[in-house]
Amino acid sequence: MKKFFAVLLTLAMVLSLAACGGNDSGNTGDSGNSDSQQEPATTPTDDGGDQGGEAADVRVAMITDYGDITDQSFNQTTYEASKAWSEANGVPFTYYKPAGDSTAERVAMVEKAADEDYNVIVMPGFAFGETIAQVADVYPDITFIALDVSEGDLGGMAVPSNVYCAVYKEELCGYMAGVAAVKLGYTHLGYLGGMAVPAVQRFGYGFVQGVDAAAGELGVDATVEYVYGNQFFGDPDITAYADNWYQNLGVQAVFACGGGICTSAGEAAAKVPGTKVIGVDVDQSFTLDAAYGEGVTLTSAMKGLAATVNHMLTEVAAGNFANYGGKAEALGLVSGDDPSANYVLLPMDTTLWGDGFTQDDYKALVKDMFDGKVTVSDDISAMPSVSNITVNDLGNIK
């Protein structure tokens, strides 16, 4: 593999989820503004400024999975972070959107990127597991950075030396969101997952555990309506399902966990004053509030996607990828004292804190989780057992 020359200063930016105006029909090299949340691997930082200079020999491409770069979630954040890092470092950047949802079409985009001399490819989403299994050995001089791709997603093969896989402990920030919702007074809750894949299940099962713990602590009754849309986008059928939750069942807040599926929850919540949506992956308050009404977003269960991108691209450019290649890492809590330093978190600035759950309460919860006083199971083999709440497991909408 080529050894990349260095840019040694660290990039950290503030995530902006305003919808991108780029071309989402294929590959593009256009520029735009983007930001990051925090910086992975060691200790994320919010210090501003670019790295300056130019990362020699690095050419960065990003490939979308099921969604596109305006999905208000996983693809958009990865795209924006990759693009921002590249612009700050004078590095060529483009992205590719597969023609359809299949491994063959994702492999075709890797082939196109290789033909166009891109030597660092960022891939967001478990769907790239089979793609990596097919292309890593074919392109040994390309560095692959895979987000939310576990070793199990690779079909049993070991992580190749030119691949780094990052997964996240979603159950932890799902738990935080569940605790926050109940302590802020929302006791009839909904979980609207995308597809029942491991990351989405960990979010949901963590959420259920958090709701159960908070309800037990407060001595209140709580209910979680739990369903998967079986897709990662909203549509009229899913909106109608959420309408029934909010309007007829009295659901007060829905954790919408599956990329663009949040649009259906947002549309439904906008029709019932006072109801809320809980965002996922990134701070979705910027887009959800703009689209469906100020204050519709209660909080967001976030992952350090942009932080991972920034850190890994910096390490690649510095010639340090050998420290990461061949590894699959689960990123979670790295600090008990600074919640913003973690890879799973709630947004400090936009969560609708209240007397029942303040920023100090959140910090205390994170501290207890970091110290092991509060534990959250990552088992997704079955719905978590609960002691204090009712969970209505409703399967799939479709």
Side-chain angles (χ1 to χ4, degrees):
M1 180 183 300
K2 283 187 177 180
K3 193 166 186 177
F4 304 119
F5 296 96
V7 178
L8 298 178
L9 298 178
T10 319
L11 174 66
M13 290 158 278
V14 177
L15 175 65
S16 168
L17 280 178
C20 298
N23 175 357
D24 66 0
S25 61
N27 128 317
T28 179
D30 63 341
S31 299
N33 295 324
S34 63
D35 304 293
S36 78
Q37 296 163 350
Q38 71 230 61
E39 189 176 349
T42 50
T43 302
T45 174
D46 290 326
D47 293 337
D50 65 41
Q51 297 173 22
E54 187 169 319
D57 294 335
V58 176
R59 291 173 58 84
V60 178
M62 177 257 182
I63 302 174
T64 63
D65 67 349
Y66 296 101
D68 59 38
I69 61 168
T70 59
D71 68 358
Q72 304 175 16
S73 186
F74 217 89
N75 288 284
Q76 182 170 340
T77 304
T78 305
Y79 166 79
E80 291 181 347
S82 299
K83 186 175 181 181
W85 186 92
S86 299
E87 289 175 350
N89 290 282
V91 166
F93 170 75
T94 194
Y95 87 96
Y96 300 87
K97 180 179 178 179
D101 176 23
S102 73
T103 295
E105 286 158 321
R106 283 184 276 273
V107 168
M109 293 299 96
V110 173
E111 293 170 345
K112 186 172 184 180
D115 288 345
E116 295 178 0
D117 296 325
Y118 287 91
N119 53 21
V120 181
I121 299 179
V122 183
M123 300 171 160
F126 73 95
F128 282 102
E130 292 182 6
T131 303
I132 291 168
Q134 292 187 25
V135 302
D137 291 343
V138 178
Y139 300 106
D141 293 329
I142 292 180
T143 297
F144 296 96
I145 299 169
L147 308 180
D148 251 17
V149 178
S150 69
E151 190 165 2
D153 294 325
L154 303 182
M157 71 181 292
V159 181
S161 62
N162 58 333
V163 177
Y164 170 75
C165 295
V167 294
Y168 300 88
K169 297 184 178 182
E170 293 93 351
E171 69 278 0
L172 300 183
C173 53
Y175 183 96
M176 297 171 192
V179 170
V182 173
K183 291 195 171 184
L184 289 169
Y186 301 88
T187 55
H188 195 171
L189 299 160
Y191 180 76
L192 174 61
M195 299 177 71
V197 297
V200 176
Q201 289 177 299
R202 286 193 294 269
F203 269 126
Y205 290 177
F207 182 69
V208 167
Q209 292 175 72
V211 172
D212 187 52
E217 181 181 338
L218 297 179
V220 299
D221 294 327
T223 300
V224 177
E225 314 290 346
Y226 195 105
V227 76
Y228 295 103
N230 209 26
Q231 62 189 41
F232 288 117
F233 55 91
D235 68 13
D237 292 336
I238 295 175
T239 300
Y241 200 95
D243 282 338
N244 182 56
W245 273 5
Y246 284 120
Q247 296 178 24
N248 299 322
L249 296 185
V251 170
Q252 300 161 307
V254 172
F255 184 10
C257 181
I261 207 167
C262 66
T263 59
S264 281
E267 289 173 14
K271 301 168 189 173
V272 183
T275 59
K276 303 296 180 185
V277 177
I278 297 170
V280 75
D281 289 336
V282 296
D283 184 353
Q284 290 190 316
S285 65
F286 301 106
T287 49
L288 291 175
D289 283 17
Y292 306 113
E294 188 68 26
V296 74
T297 312
L298 182 63
T299 189
S300 295
M302 305 194 317
K303 300 190 286 195
L305 303 171
T308 310
V309 170
N310 290 326
H311 178 77
M312 290 308 303
L313 291 180
T314 299
E315 290 293 277
V316 168
N320 295 331
F321 185 75
N323 296 329
Y324 302 89
K327 295 180 180 179
E329 293 187 322
L331 305 178
L333 300 179
V334 296
S335 173
D337 299 317
D338 180 8
S340 67
N342 293 317
Y343 302 117
V344 287
L345 65 161
L346 304 181
M348 292 290 286
D349 293 336
T350 60
T351 295
L352 301 182
W353 310 106
D355 291 341
F357 195 66
T358 66
Q359 286 191 0
D360 286 341
D361 293 329
Y362 168 58
K363 292 176 182 178
L365 173 62
V366 172
K367 174 67 172 171
D368 284 347
M369 294 172 73
F370 183 79
D371 290 343
K373 296 177 181 178
V374 171
T375 60
V376 185
S377 172
D378 63 358
D379 181 11
I380 57 173
S381 63
M383 179 69 69
S385 60
V386 295
S387 303
N388 309 297
I389 65 173
T390 300
V391 179
N392 296 319
D393 191 351
L394 303 168
N396 292 319
I397 296 175
K398 297 187 175 186

